[in-house]
Amino acid sequence: MDGSGGPASSGEHTKTWTVRVDLFEDGDVTSAHAVLDCGDSSLQAHSASLRDPVDRPMPQIGDEFAAGRALIDLGYQLLRAGQADTRANTVLPGL
């Protein structure tokens, strides 16, 4: 990074990954579908939140919980993929 918050300008290779989160409301249930587009691959996650009947209807809160859960799932999927790739590409001494 160059300190400006943007990508480094030293000629390093950069990539852009895109996340799309679609939210769906059906009564007291908010569902989220998140897709991480990595260019040559993608990951998907689904999640939901349910409003407690005693709470006031506030759709933004359901959106936040459903989207947050889907994004957390994407993060865990990325970590598992990194672990699997590391194991697949680790050379054990003496073999």
Side-chain angles (χ1 to χ4, degrees), residues 12-66:
E12 296 176 10
H13 179 74
T14 60
K15 295 180 181 182
T16 300
W17 289 1
T18 305
V19 176
R20 178 183 173 133
V21 180
D22 295 308
L23 299 163
F24 310 92
E25 293 182 28
D26 184 12
D28 292 337
V29 177
T30 302
S31 300
H33 176 230
V35 178
L36 171 62
D37 180 356
C38 303
D40 55 354
S41 65
S42 66
L43 298 173
Q44 296 186 40
H46 299 271
S47 68
S49 65
L50 173 64
R51 181 179 69 85
D52 190 312
V54 300
D55 292 337
R56 292 182 312 158
M58 301 218 28
Q60 178 181 352
I61 295 172
D63 293 350
E64 293 165 346
F65 276 110

Side-chain angles (χ1 to χ4, degrees), residues 1-2 6-12 14:
M1 286 251 186
D2 61 5
S9 59
S10 64
E12 296 176 10
T14 60

